[in-house]
Amino acid sequence: MTKVIDTLKNMNRDGKNIFSILQKNGPLTKAQIMDLTKLKLTTLNRIIKPIIDEKLIVEASIGESTGGRRPSLYDVNMTDYAFIGIDISRIYTQVIFADFKLNIIHKERFSMDSSYSPEKTVDRITDICKNAIHMAELMNKELIAVGLGTVGPMDIYKGIMKSPANFMSKGWTGTPIKEMLQKNLNLEVYMDNGANAAVTVEYLFGYGKNLKNIAYFNFGIGIRTGAISDGNIVRTINDAEDAFAHMVIDVDGEKCICGNYGCVECYSSIKSITKNFKKRIAMGESTKIQKSIDDINYIDISLAAQNGDNVSEEVIKKAAEIFGTGLSNFINLLNPELIILSGPLIMVSELFYKISVATAKQKCYLSKHSNIFFNRGGYFKENAISAGAAAMAIENLLRE
Ligand SMILES: [Zn+2]
């Protein structure tokens, strides 16, 4: 028996195109498919038949009739197959199981402390997957492939994480993560950086659907950025996602982890917000946060900023103004129609989000001439990277 993954890979170009159209827009009638593909009915029937025989496309239901016999609707099979999407993001890992349309069937997440080496992380992911396939919602589904969204820089073809910064455990540099996962899960793994995964799923299935130019920013331990320009991912040499974070915003600014001075990263990441807050308290300023200084984190600062704590408010405002200034430069450069700001900091701090957007709008040249939409969290929220990783695995299969 041919494996489903091979059937998907071996479909001809028209077959892949029809499958992709149904995946994104189905259910559709044959007339609608013909309209979108410009194929004749005889050709469509010939191409679609083996895909229906393989149960990858199914007759979904009966459509609206305009008189006479009601036409059948076709769609991708959302019942029998599943993909795994993995998001390894320095302080947590999330694993999801999703159908062809990225509906999440099952999801698990764990935090990562300094004990989470690559080996321990992969073992934990393996355990999650091996247990999940026996659950009622997954036991009758065939797993097709795995998508991984993780931290760059990386070599996505060799499947190696090159030198990702800020993991709590040592040992992540040079990790052959793709091979490790493939061996343990016995499935093909496709990898990319987490921000590219997130922007892809928002573009194909989220708020970016029907747009051509969108950007996605994730505020976690670092600031991770992904962009789609005219329908294509904007790629960087090592598939790193932190290029934007090292945009210099203040030539006389603080020293950054990259060796330069005054990068966005120095002011606007979770790490910098916490550091800048603690520095001010250490210099003698007072805060209303009732915790010992070592225990104060970005959540405390974000909440205090909205409850009248002066130092917190100033640190968050400064962080957002600097990010918003960088964002205005980014907008001028890439002209996105939609900008999604997401990640733990954005979700906890409405103040940060609002000031970032206001600053970007005020300082950017383009916003005076065109409508740019901003969104907090995106459609996929905290699932964007893992769902995006699964979406990229499917896209790869339909491209190979
Ligand atoms: Zn830097």
Side-chain angles (χ1 to χ4, degrees), residues 245-247 256-261 263-266:
H246 297 285
M247 178 189 285
C256 180
I257 47 168
C258 72
N260 266 332
Y261 290 86
C263 303
V264 175
E265 170 87 27
C266 300

Side-chain angles (χ1 to χ4, degrees), residues 26-81:
L28 297 172
T29 63
K30 279 186 181 171
Q32 288 170 316
I33 301 171
M34 284 157 62
D35 202 38
L36 290 166
T37 56
K38 309 293 172 216
L39 292 170
K40 291 196 179 95
L41 183 60
T42 46
T43 319
L44 173 62
N45 283 335
R46 178 168 48 76
I47 293 165
I48 208 173
K49 185 174 180 304
I51 312 176
I52 292 173
D53 290 344
E54 295 274 3
K55 293 198 169 62
L56 281 165
I57 291 177
V58 292
E59 218 172 303
S61 54
I62 306 297
E64 289 279 320
S65 170
T66 47
R69 201 168 142 251
R70 291 203 287 181
S72 294
L73 286 166
Y74 295 86
D75 209 343
V76 294
N77 184 338
M78 297 202 288
T79 317
D80 296 326
Y81 306 108

